DNA sequence: CCTCCCATGTAAACTGTTACATGATTTT
DNA sequence: AAAATCATGTAACAGTTTACATGGGAGG
């Protein structure tokens, strides 16, 4: 049900087409909520049918078309209701920690590759999140700036602070995962599993 | 696809019925991979159909029945293949961080309740994970002990270490989330949003 | 006798992934 | 003229949740 709320959150910043939304979901917002285009377009239509959005049809060139979606009052209500309601936590489904618990069954090289892969994965995540934070701090984030344009002066500080706060949380998580994987590398060395041997025996 | 691997990981410890598995998925393993009974029973049957498991039917009382599942060689192969293959990371879908990014839209009490709820949620998680770690350290974890019974002496250290390592990662994550939510509480106080006012003005 | 635990499922709805499919417009 | 980007979707499948449904056995 949160794809809907993510869409509402974005459209509240300003009207957008499905394509614009899609880009957001594969960039900035994608860090907290991912959605592919095949999910976005049908959801937009459903939300419009339910009166949460209205579609403003725009011509594009000779025969091109573009639907720009606006949040209706009902949509605004639905979003605020969600924001003020207790959050439902999904049950964890964490393949990395599942695998980690049974790592003794894997080959030594696979163990090391798994841990290095974990580090790589979260390092990419960390870098992009840190870039977003930088954009927030330097006020060069397009979406945030667009939002700030229609925000009362006294609410700007909070708007910026919460966005930064959210991304700082993501960065902290990424750092935690990297730390954990590094501890894993230390552990396999300690257990004598690592093939650090190959370096220690040249010739 | 990891429900299947979680089931294989558990059944490799020892044969179990769907009911036994279900209990594991709502207790210990549930911390890394949750699955309801309605997902487990059909999956077991599918896996048996595909030759990854065999069902040993046991009578229970007069007409009661119980199917105990065993991992076949094909099942063992499938599990090891997964363990040695690169891990696929799911895209993040994180309602808490999504909400955090737009928290200025929520009522002050709702913001505080959201952050306190986050702390409560992860504190419960942390406590249960720490209990699991304690059981691992004192060798009072039933599943781990069952596994150790059929483990070669030289592999026991690693088996224990990896299980502990996995749970330590979960604990670290929980601590991180709690820390983040506490920072959030500090932030709203700093922004003057918190209704800590009610305490500061008694009468 | 009642309640809790053992034991196994089905059905419907919802959510998400992967692959396919098409065509216009803008930039190089 | 080709490539990138804009723009909108469909179809099939895989995974997950929620609710429903049933009945036996063990212990107080």
């Amino acid at each position: 049900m949160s794809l809907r709320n993510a869409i509402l959150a974005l459209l509240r910043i300003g009207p957008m087409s499905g394509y614009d939304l899609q880009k957001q979901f594969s960039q900035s917002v994608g860090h907290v909520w991912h959605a592919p285009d095949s999910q976005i377009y049908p959801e937009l239509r459903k939300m419009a049918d339910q009166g949460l959005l209205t579609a403003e049809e725009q011509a594009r060139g000779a025969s091109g078309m573009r639907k720009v979606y606006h949040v209706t009052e009902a949509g605004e209500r639905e979003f605020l209701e969600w924001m003020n309601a207790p959050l439902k936590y999904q049950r964890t489904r964490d393949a990395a920690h599942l695998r980690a618990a049974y790592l003794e069954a894997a080959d030594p090289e696979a163990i090391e590759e798994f841990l290095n892969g974990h580090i790589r994965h979260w390092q990419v995540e960390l870098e992009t999140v840190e870039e977003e934070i930088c954009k927030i701090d330097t006020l060069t984030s397009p979406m945030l700036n667009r939002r700030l344009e229609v925000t009362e002066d006294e609410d700007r500080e909070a708007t910026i602070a919460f966005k930064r706060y959210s991304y700082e949380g993501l960065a902290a998580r990424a750092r935690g995962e990297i730390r954990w994987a590094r501890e894993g590398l230390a552990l396999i060395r300690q257990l004598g599993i690592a093939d650090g041997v190959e370096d220690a025996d040249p010739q």
Side-chain angles (χ1 to χ4, degrees), chain A residues 35-95:
Chain A
D37 48 350
S38 63
Q39 220 187 338
I40 293 168
Y41 289 111
E43 185 66 25
L44 283 171
R45 189 180 282 187
K46 220 166 45 173
M47 289 168 77
D49 288 347
Q50 291 171 16
L52 304 175
L53 306 177
T54 50
E56 174 200 345
E57 305 214 355
Q58 292 184 344
R60 208 180 82 95
S63 62
M65 272 278 270
R66 187 180 137 91
K67 280 186 224 161
V68 176
Y69 289 92
H70 299 249
V71 178
T72 64
E73 265 179 57
E76 177 76 12
R77 259 201 314 280
E78 174 128 338
F79 179 72
L80 292 180
E81 236 168 67
W82 177 72
M83 283 298 293
N84 289 316
L87 188 66
K88 274 193 195 167
Y89 287 85
Q90 303 149 249
R91 253 70 75 93
T92 56
R93 247 175 220 105
D94 186 329

Side-chain angles (χ1 to χ4, degrees), chain A residues 9-55:
Chain A
L10 285 175
L11 289 182
R12 265 168 45 96
I13 296 173
M16 267 182 279
S17 68
Y19 183 77
D20 294 330
L21 279 165
Q22 195 215 108
K23 268 192 306 179
Q24 294 305 319
F25 277 109
S26 62
Q27 290 169 27
S28 54
V29 209
H31 295 295
V32 283
W33 202 273
H34 166 79
D37 48 350
S38 63
Q39 220 187 338
I40 293 168
Y41 289 111
E43 185 66 25
L44 283 171
R45 189 180 282 187
K46 220 166 45 173
M47 289 168 77
D49 288 347
Q50 291 171 16
L52 304 175
L53 306 177
T54 50

Side-chain angles (χ1 to χ4, degrees), chain A residues 68 160 170 174 176 185:
Chain A
V68 176
I160 296 170
L170 297 178
L185 288 173

Side-chain angles (χ1 to χ4, degrees), chain A residues 29-179:
Chain A
V29 209
H31 295 295
V32 283
W33 202 273
H34 166 79
D37 48 350
S38 63
Q39 220 187 338
I40 293 168
Y41 289 111
E43 185 66 25
L44 283 171
R45 189 180 282 187
K46 220 166 45 173
M47 289 168 77
D49 288 347
Q50 291 171 16
L52 304 175
L53 306 177
T54 50
E56 174 200 345
E57 305 214 355
Q58 292 184 344
R60 208 180 82 95
S63 62
M65 272 278 270
R66 187 180 137 91
K67 280 186 224 161
V68 176
Y69 289 92
H70 299 249
V71 178
T72 64
E73 265 179 57
E76 177 76 12
R77 259 201 314 280
E78 174 128 338
F79 179 72
L80 292 180
E81 236 168 67
W82 177 72
M83 283 298 293
N84 289 316
L87 188 66
K88 274 193 195 167
Y89 287 85
Q90 303 149 249
R91 253 70 75 93
T92 56
R93 247 175 220 105
D94 186 329
H97 283 74
L98 171 63
R99 183 178 287 189
Y102 299 96
L103 222 42
E104 72 276 3
D107 298 332
E109 319 87 62
I111 297 177
E112 207 166 350
E113 187 42 36
F114 161 67
L115 294 169
N116 281 322
H118 200 73
I119 292 171
R120 281 196 305 274
H121 172 82
W122 287 102
Q123 221 141 38
V124 169
E125 177 76 9
L126 178 59
E127 274 161 34
T128 48
V129 166
E130 278 176 340
E131 269 170 43
E132 285 295 323
I133 292 173
C134 186
K135 281 184 200 159
I136 293 166
D137 289 341
T138 57
L139 290 172
T140 53
S141 161
M143 291 297 275
L144 179 57
N145 287 344
R146 208 170 153 192
R147 178 74 213 184
L148 290 174
E149 276 171 33
V150 293
T151 303
E152 308 278 335
D153 275 32
E154 71 257 33
D155 296 334
R156 285 193 190 178
E157 195 191 353
T159 302
I160 296 170
F162 285 131
K163 185 131 298 173
R164 193 181 202 287
Y165 171 61
S166 175
Y167 280 85
E168 273 297 349
L170 297 178
R173 178 183 301 174
R175 287 188 203 105
E177 292 296 331
I178 292 167
R179 197 179 314 122

